[in-house]
Amino acid sequence: MSNNKLTVIDREGSTHDLQWEPDQTLMEALRDNDLPVLASCGGTASCATCHVFLEKEVFDTLAERSEDELELLVDAEGYQECGSRLSCQLAFSQDLNGVTVTLAPEE
Amino acid sequence: MPSQQPTESVLNPIVIVGAGHSGVAVAAGLRSRGWEGDILLLEAEKEAPYERPPLSKELLKAGAPDESTVLRKEKFYHDKRIDRRAGLTVDAIDPAGRTVELSDGSRHGYHRLVIATGSRARSLTVPGAELPGVQALRTRDDALELKRALVPGARVAIIGAGYIGLEVAAAAAAKGCDVTVLEFQDRVMSRVTSEPVSRFFERLHEQNGVRFVFGAAVTAVEGSDRAERVVTADGAAYPADVVLAGIGVVPNQELAAEAGLQCQDGILVDDDGRTSVPGIYATGDVTRFTSTIDGASQRLECIQNAMAQADRVAADITGQAPADPEIPWFWTVQHGVRLQTAGVRHPDDDVIVRGTPAEVKFSVVYLRDGRLAAVDTIAGLTDFRPAKKLIAQKTRIDPLLAADPGTPLTDAAFAAS
């Protein structure tokens, strides 16, 4: 599998173009490219420090959020019903090539 | 403390001792802050650095894979030119010569030394503690050993009702084990939370079949060739196939103490992670420091602190500004119910319960001199984020308003604080 291209808008509004590698979750792709994603719990949907916004068209193509993920997100800053995800819960998929991801405000 | 004297050659690497959350975060933070010199990351364990929180939670679940969640993939260390050496420890530090001696006999000069050796499980010291079947939970090997022992019907005695003991109690009960928790205090998690929260979690565990014995002073583990029972001071004996000691952790400070660094149940560090010896930093569980919030001398055994201190160390080494300080926070999950805490509660804080513990979702706020000092949220995070901000600002809170769960916590703040 080849890498996905990924566009990230950080908390200052700057844009970064990254490579998303097949063995990375979205959180890992962000963190390993030095974006300020804390991911305190290590990707177990426990802390909401890897919260991102996806575009609605992309969001709608994904599987439903788990109960844990949703519970953490609904109280998170800037929660979007049709856009908020924990990036640790998004595995690589070629369907996500070229997506734009916005980092949510820090908790 | 004296300022750094960067007179020696920066051709020497920054040597990081310990590749847990904090050690790895220092290495990553140095690179993301633009440090271009060599980084040598040493780890006593053989395998790639991994996440610890899942060891007492997800990893123990029936059907969960044995593979641990690595902190970073191999490629990360390669791409970031982090020279990671597994299975190596530091035998001695020579602060004057700025060298370390490794367990393979080699010597390395360092530009800066970062001690991130973490903590180890406090050992049970009663007679019989060395019997097979008695264990602690700290490493992945510990977790896998425990996971294999937690079979349906196994009698599990857990010594200590802290986070680790209770998370294991929940995992064991879910696997059909017969679980007894022996606790010296009169309630669970007494060090970290208030009585209403303790009572809620006791009921939750009991509803899931866990038994508690409070005021239990364990005096021995008995058995002919492996653990068969745990004995307490009142003469009671609790049959057990598996004995887990969850009685706290001890900082791995010996290396630092031998090198003359000031230690006092933890390596003493300042706000930037500097130890008493120039050129040497310490970070994570192994440190003791003064809280910027309440001036208390503390060790914080949590990931938030491990990451935040690592960032401050990386910032200081590179001469950059660190991120803003963050209120410490902690979490545990037991029987699927999350307890998440912000701030460090003191035993004499005023306790205000928001909501009804019988209804599962509630929170408890802690006031010190009328100001918000900490919060526990149970099964819901509504109060968590607002509380962190109010704690950071030492906001005065109206206790009557705060007691009403229908009033947002922010609205319970007195206007003039």
Side-chain angles (χ1 to χ4, degrees):
Chain A
M1 277 192 286
S2 55
N3 292 350
N4 279 355
K5 289 194 190 328
L6 183 62
T7 301
V8 183
I9 301 171
D10 69 20
R11 299 187 185 105
E12 281 73 48
S14 304
T15 301
H16 307 260
D17 291 317
L18 313 181
Q19 299 282 319
W20 180 1
E21 297 169 21
D23 66 345
Q24 291 174 318
T25 63
L26 178 58
M27 178 274 282
E28 289 171 325
L30 298 171
R31 188 185 62 180
D32 291 354
N33 282 286
D34 295 330
L35 283 153
V37 171
L38 201 55
S40 301
C41 74
T44 57
S46 296
C47 75
T49 57
C50 70
H51 178 194
V52 297
F53 306 124
L54 299 175
E55 290 157 336
K56 183 175 184 308
E57 308 80 74
V58 176
F59 178 89
D60 288 342
T61 65
L62 299 171
E64 297 243 325
R65 294 170 289 210
S66 72
E67 205 175 311
D68 275 355
E69 182 181 351
L70 193 58
E71 183 200 290
L72 283 159
L73 283 169
V74 290
D75 295 319
E77 184 139 343
Y79 169 65
Q80 295 177 4
E81 192 181 344
C82 299
S84 284
R85 291 298 310 246
L86 295 182
S87 56
C88 69
Q89 299 300 298
L90 297 178
F92 179 91
S93 151
Q94 281 176 333
D95 296 342
L96 294 173
N97 190 21
V99 296
T100 297
V101 173
T102 303
L103 302 188
E106 270 182 297
E107 289 289 298
Chain B
M1 288 187 198
S3 63
Q4 303 300 326
Q5 300 293 325
T7 49
E8 79 278 33
S9 169
V10 292
L11 292 174
N12 281 333
I14 290 173
V15 175
I16 303 168
V17 190
H21 282 88
S22 212
V24 170
V26 170
L30 286 168
R31 287 294 182 239
S32 64
R33 288 174 176 277
W35 184 261
E36 291 181 350
D38 291 341
I39 299 174
L40 181 59
L41 177 61
L42 304 169
E43 173 53 47
E45 289 182 60
K46 288 255 166 23
E47 60 184 307
Y50 55 85
E51 297 281 354
R52 288 193 199 275
L55 300 182
S56 51
K57 305 179 183 75
E58 288 81 3
L59 188 89
L60 296 180
K61 287 183 179 168
D66 281 355
E67 285 74 42
S68 48
T69 317
V70 294
L71 287 173
R72 304 284 184 144
K73 301 219 159 65
E74 284 303 328
K75 187 171 181 303
F76 172 82
Y77 300 102
H78 179 263
D79 289 353
K80 301 291 180 186
R81 292 189 303 110
I82 296 164
D83 183 2
R84 189 174 70 74
R85 312 266 183 97
L88 271 181
T89 53
V90 173
D91 283 349
I93 302 167
D94 172 9
R98 296 209 174 190
T99 57
V100 286
E101 186 179 329
L102 307 192
S103 50
D104 64 358
S106 64
R107 275 178 177 280
H108 294 261
Y110 61 81
H111 172 62
R112 297 286 182 266
L113 179 66
V114 181
I115 301 175
T117 44
S119 53
R120 60 183 177 271
R122 186 184 301 278
S123 301
L124 193 63
T125 52
V126 300
E130 71 293 342
L131 284 169
V134 181
Q135 72 161 108
L137 174 51
R138 183 70 192 169
T139 64
R140 178 171 174 270
D141 287 346
D142 293 339
L144 292 178
E145 181 185 347
L146 182 62
K147 183 181 190 177
R148 284 192 292 272
L150 298 182
V151 294
R155 295 165 305 175
V156 180
I158 295 170
I159 303 172
Y163 285 164
I164 292 287
L166 294 182
E167 288 177 6
V168 171
K175 284 175 132 178
C177 301
D178 180 44
V179 185
T180 304
V181 178
L182 304 164
E183 166 60 48
F184 182 73
Q185 302 295 334
D186 61 356
R187 59 187 177 87
V188 302
M189 298 187 283
S190 60
R191 186 170 72 95
V192 295
T193 193
S194 59
E195 185 164 345
V197 179
S198 295
R199 298 300 177 221
F200 169 83
F201 276 94
E202 286 161 16
R203 275 197 303 277
L204 178 67
H205 280 279
E206 284 164 354
Q207 285 160 2
N208 285 277
V210 174
R211 276 187 303 276
F212 289 103
V213 181
F214 293 109
V218 171
T219 52
V221 180
E222 294 177 354
S224 43
D225 53 2
R226 57 173 292 121
E228 291 169 19
R229 71 196 80 83
V230 178
V231 180
T232 53
D234 57 3
Y238 301 89
D241 307 302
V242 182
V243 178
L244 178 91
I247 52 176
V249 297
V250 180
N252 292 321
Q253 67 180 28
E254 289 77 3
L255 172 70
E258 283 161 19
L261 279 68
Q262 284 181 20
C263 297
Q264 198 168 31
D265 184 31
I267 304 173
L268 299 181
V269 295
D270 70 9
D271 285 351
D272 295 313
R274 297 180 192 189
T275 68
S276 60
V277 173
I280 304 182
Y281 295 80
T283 177
D285 278 15
V286 75
T287 65
R288 172 174 290 279
F289 58 101
T290 303
S291 165
T292 54
I293 300 159
D294 58 18
S297 165
Q298 60 186 4
R299 278 200 297 120
L300 287 181
E301 300 144 7
C302 69
I303 293 201
Q304 178 276 326
N305 180 60
M307 308 293 279
Q309 277 189 318
D311 177 68
R312 301 185 83 82
V313 168
D316 201 67
I317 290 175
T318 55
Q320 298 176 8
D324 290 337
E326 188 190 10
I327 297 299
W329 62 275
F330 316 83
W331 86 95
T332 175
V333 180
Q334 299 164 26
H335 304 289
V337 177
R338 174 191 309 277
L339 165 62
Q340 193 151 314
T341 298
V344 179
R345 157 198 167 271
H346 291 184
D348 49 358
D349 290 342
D350 293 328
V351 176
I352 299 170
V353 179
R354 289 167 56 76
T356 310
E359 290 168 3
V360 178
K361 180 173 171 165
F362 70 106
S363 58
V364 179
V365 298
Y366 302 95
L367 302 187
R368 197 172 307 150
D369 302 324
R371 299 172 189 275
L372 189 63
V375 65
D376 288 325
T377 62
I378 293 89
L381 291 168
T382 310
D383 287 341
F384 184 73
R385 187 171 46 79
K388 269 177 76 179
K389 288 183 183 161
L390 297 170
I391 295 165
Q393 294 159 0
K394 299 186 177 175
T395 309
R396 286 194 168 279
I397 296 287
D398 183 330
L400 290 176
L401 285 175
D404 170 23
T407 302
L409 200 51
T410 310
D411 292 348
F414 282 119
S417 72

